[in-house]
Amino acid sequence: MRSWKRPWLSGLLLISPSLILLGVLVYGLIAWTVNLSMQDRHNARESKGFAGLDNYVNLFTNDINDRFTHSLKNLLVFTIVFMVGTLVMGLIWALLLERGARAEGVFRTVYLFPMAVSFVASGVVWRWLMNPGEGDDAGGLNAVFGGLGLDFLQNPWWTDPDWGMAAMAVPAIWQLAGYVMALFLAGFRGIPNELREAAAMDGASNFQLYRRVLFPQLTPTVLSAMIITGHMSMKMFDLIMSVSGAQWITEVPAVYVWQTLLTSDYAKAAAISVFLLVVVAIVVVPYLIHVNRAEKRS
Amino acid sequence: MTSQTMAPDEVRSGPAPAAGGRKARPSPVGQLVRHALLLLFLLIVLMPLYVLIVTSFKSGREIGVDGQWSLPEVWTTASWEKAWTALGPSFLRTFELAIPVALISSIIGAANGFVLSRWRFPGADVVFTLILFGMFIPYQAVMIPLREVVQFIGLPGGIPTLIFVHVVYGIPICTLIFRNYYATTVPVELIEAGRVDGAGLLRTFRMLILPLSGPAFVVTVIWQFTSSWNDYLFAIFLSNTRNGPITIALNALAGAQSPDYAASMAGALITSLPTLVVYVLLGRWFIGGLMAGAIKS
């Protein structure tokens, strides 16, 4: 009889194992890491005491060669190129496919297939494609550019000290542009047909139709695509380890954490991790709250 | 997906002669340009695959700078044999990882998604948001203590540990997919009718909900299979080349200072094969289900 008064109780019970696991392994371990990041513990031995925010301050003011800010700069370049690249390519593909094309299913499947491949595997071929040799030594894509008479396109790819991270984003774009395309296609399909018809009745040109009627409807799609690619970018580790290995020129915070752990500097690794988490949370938490509210309204 | 895809166009061009006058009608030239562009992008996307296949069948002598892009003069499977020797054991191990992860995650996701959409408790929305956040965290933020926790629990290293962590950190995405799926496909009236008949939570779930859950299962099974198969971060933190999944073995094969490109590329193909097969076989449902979940979130 009790379950008739509070039928939801059984639901809470069913979901509770998940809640406990996530409570401990997400929130509990985050708290653990935050605590670790405020300890004076820079080798395998016990903590020498509470260090407050020192480890964080040191990342910005007292890191050899400004290694941390260097890795942040790399991450920023990567993130911008990756996000813009996937959005642009995804949108172009979606626009090309949106009103139906011959063999549409084939194109969609091929554009999306790189998503099924692991970064470790695609890194193998992209390292080869992004061969930094130029001129007579050209290999990979540079050889293609040379063969097509487009020598000016030859470049050192990820080995360029300033813009190498932009090249590192190319494989990531290859891998996820198809996913963003799928998001856009879903967005287009979600727009009621009456809107298009009304615009056509009003004599809107194709350009006006997209510019004034369809694109504004896609704002939520763009937002989710940016959140998804943005947070992936913050975590980017596999691809970089696979293409370049851990090295200065392509180091991002996620790789820096790994390298720091290899030296048993636990508190510093924890501080970098928490910093990454905070950056992600600043973007994602408002988004989640926004989605939650939007759902309640509808 | 595919059958619905064409529907809007049919509806639009069919019954409305008034729409015939709209300027948006595609011209033959436009169609041609569009298909040419689609084909060009298709070739660009497939290019890395071409390189992988061609290079993997070349002999060591042919892997120079000259003729990099050409077909092998002599096709040889020597590199495939070398790659298989290096990856074989971990290839099989990774199935022992990815299949249980896909199944367990999906069942947990279905139960959670059902409760959070159709058997809600007070505060379900807040709980759902808290669950969802777990999907976005950079796993580095839990990785350092995670190693100690799995040791504390006493899980054997390697695959069992990885099954556990992939299931746990897969809960958010699976819950999301099932919740959105149930919220859009299962009518509230169905649950209420069941309740009137005296069906409790488990019976409702088993008899009414599970039979409707096929499409969402396809998505979570593929998603979890692929992400645990492709994972490198958890693998490198929690396993090694002797007991870990294939990504670790591939990285060991390909990550050497002067890598054997032919063997590495054969290895990359071996590594990608299972996820590609799954994707090609089930991809159509995957995209459909993925998009259904994606619009909502």
Side-chain angles (χ1 to χ4, degrees):
Chain A
M1 283 319 282
R2 185 174 47 96
S3 67
W4 270 111
K5 277 185 208 145
R6 292 209 186 96
W8 49 264
L9 209 62
S10 52
L12 193 59
L13 206 64
L14 184 64
I15 202 176
S16 55
S18 293
L19 297 185
I20 292 167
L21 281 172
L22 290 178
V24 173
L25 291 174
V26 172
Y27 294 97
L29 294 195
I30 287 175
W32 187 331
T33 309
V34 169
N35 176 44
L36 179 59
S37 75
M38 294 195 283
Q39 299 292 325
D40 183 3
R41 187 180 175 200
H42 301 286
N43 50 45
R45 274 180 244 132
E46 295 279 295
S47 169
K48 283 188 262 177
F50 187 72
L53 295 175
D54 287 0
N55 293 321
Y56 293 93
V57 175
N58 282 340
L59 285 177
F60 289 98
T61 59
N62 195 18
D63 208 19
I64 297 167
N65 288 328
D66 291 327
R67 189 171 166 186
F68 184 64
T69 36
H70 167 78
S71 76
L72 280 183
K73 200 210 99 194
N74 278 346
L75 181 61
L76 185 69
V77 172
F78 180 91
T79 305
I80 292 172
V81 178
F82 174 56
M83 284 174 75
V84 173
T86 45
L87 276 176
V88 171
M89 285 316 301
L91 183 59
I92 290 175
W93 292 347
L95 282 173
L96 289 170
L97 288 173
E98 185 249 327
R99 296 153 100 221
R102 230 165 263 240
E104 184 187 342
V106 175
F107 288 116
R108 225 177 26 207
T109 307
V110 170
Y111 292 163
L112 200 67
F113 102 87
M115 207 188 141
V117 180
S118 86
F119 278 125
V120 181
S122 63
V124 171
V125 66
W126 279 100
R127 179 162 48 155
W128 186 94
L129 287 168
M130 299 197 290
N131 185 323
E134 293 178 51
D136 289 340
D137 292 331
L141 287 173
N142 281 351
V144 175
F145 294 146
L148 293 172
L150 300 168
D151 295 65
F152 66 94
L153 280 178
Q154 292 193 354
N155 71 81
W157 299 103
W158 57 266
T159 61
D160 182 281
D162 292 319
W163 298 105
M165 286 314 285
M168 191 61 91
V170 173
I173 296 170
W174 174 75
Q175 207 136 4
L176 283 147
Y179 180 66
V180 175
M181 170 199 73
L183 295 180
F184 274 123
L185 281 176
F188 275 122
R189 300 265 143 81
I191 299 173
N193 255 328
E194 294 77 44
L195 272 180
R196 289 176 191 249
E197 275 163 20
M201 297 276 205
D202 294 346
S205 72
N206 231 341
F207 177 76
Q208 283 170 325
L209 172 72
Y210 280 100
R211 169 82 180 72
R212 307 231 173 254
V213 181
L214 300 184
F215 285 160
Q217 298 279 323
L218 292 177
T219 318
T221 310
V222 173
L223 194 61
S224 11
M226 287 177 75
I227 293 283
I228 291 166
T229 54
H231 98 273
M232 285 190 76
S233 176
M234 297 289 135
K235 299 180 185 177
M236 200 51 71
F237 174 78
D238 311 12
L239 176 70
I240 293 166
M241 291 297 277
S242 176
V243 171
S244 71
Q247 51 173 297
W248 167 261
I249 226 170
T250 57
E251 189 164 83
V252 293
V255 175
Y256 194 4
V257 171
W258 173 245
Q259 293 293 96
T260 309
L261 277 181
L262 291 180
T263 65
S264 296
D265 192 340
Y266 294 108
K268 183 173 171 181
I272 302 171
S273 308
V274 172
F275 183 85
L276 267 187
L277 177 72
V278 171
V279 173
V280 171
I282 287 173
V283 180
V284 167
V285 170
Y287 172 73
L288 290 178
I289 292 172
H290 162 79
V291 169
N292 197 336
R293 284 207 189 124
E295 244 180 35
K296 274 201 190 122
R297 270 199 305 273
S298 66
Chain B
M1 241 328 285
T2 324
S3 57
Q4 290 148 7
T5 299
M6 297 307 292
D9 285 292
E10 282 159 17
V11 170
R12 196 163 56 228
S13 53
R22 69 203 174 92
K23 294 169 187 170
R25 184 160 294 281
S27 66
V29 179
Q31 285 287 69
L32 198 69
V33 172
R34 207 148 60 92
H35 283 87
L37 281 174
L38 282 169
L39 207 60
L40 176 72
F41 285 123
L42 184 94
L43 294 177
I44 294 175
V45 172
L46 286 177
M47 173 195 63
L49 196 61
Y50 168 82
V51 170
L52 279 171
I53 294 170
V54 167
T55 314
S56 70
F57 284 106
K58 285 180 177 173
S59 65
R61 276 177 291 113
E62 280 191 68
I63 313 273
V65 164
D66 291 327
Q68 272 193 336
W69 287 83
S70 50
L71 294 171
E73 281 168 27
V74 185
W75 293 72
T76 162
T77 54
S79 300
W80 281 81
E81 283 158 31
K82 182 177 171 186
W84 180 251
T85 313
L87 302 181
S90 62
F91 184 79
L92 301 175
R93 269 204 300 273
T94 315
F95 278 104
E96 293 168 20
L97 166 68
I99 292 172
V101 166
L103 297 179
I104 300 171
S105 298
S106 300
I107 292 163
I108 296 179
N112 291 351
F114 166 59
V115 169
L116 289 172
S117 60
R118 289 291 177 258
W119 205 279
R120 295 158 60 83
F121 50 87
D125 280 330
V126 177
V127 167
F128 178 58
T129 306
L130 287 172
I131 292 178
L132 219 48
F133 181 66
M135 184 171 128
F136 292 98
I137 60 164
Y139 296 120
Q140 283 84 1
V142 295
M143 206 62 87
I144 305 168
L146 185 60
R147 256 199 287 212
E148 294 185 37
V149 168
V150 293
Q151 270 169 15
F152 175 78
I153 302 176
L155 282 169
I159 300 303
T161 296
L162 288 172
I163 291 176
F164 176 72
V165 298
H166 281 297
V167 166
V168 170
Y169 293 106
I171 290 175
I173 179 96
C174 295
T175 303
L176 167 76
I177 289 168
F178 275 101
R179 177 184 174 273
N180 288 353
Y181 177 75
Y182 292 141
T184 47
T185 54
V186 175
V188 186
E189 294 77 30
L190 184 70
I191 311 288
E192 279 164 3
R195 261 188 206 178
V196 171
D197 292 344
L201 167 82
L202 285 178
R203 222 176 96 211
T204 309
F205 182 57
R206 227 181 33 237
M207 311 298 282
L208 296 176
I209 303 296
L210 276 185
L212 298 172
S213 308
F217 264 102
V218 175
V219 178
T220 52
V221 163
I222 297 179
W223 186 275
Q224 283 299 89
F225 182 90
T226 324
S227 55
S228 56
W229 186 282
N230 288 342
D231 162 67
Y232 180 67
L233 183 64
F234 282 118
I236 197 177
F237 269 90
L238 300 168
S239 69
N240 55 50
T241 44
R242 283 185 315 282
N243 63 13
I246 193 159
T247 46
I248 298 281
L250 175 64
N251 200 57
L253 173 71
Q257 274 300 330
S258 52
D260 176 345
Y261 267 118
S264 308
M265 295 209 187
L269 283 170
I270 293 172
T271 307
S272 311
L273 218 52
T275 50
L276 284 180
V277 167
V278 166
Y279 173 80
V280 169
L281 288 182
L282 303 173
R284 179 190 291 193
W285 292 282
F286 181 60
I287 304 175
L290 200 65
M291 289 184 0
I295 314 176
K296 289 285 286 179
S297 66

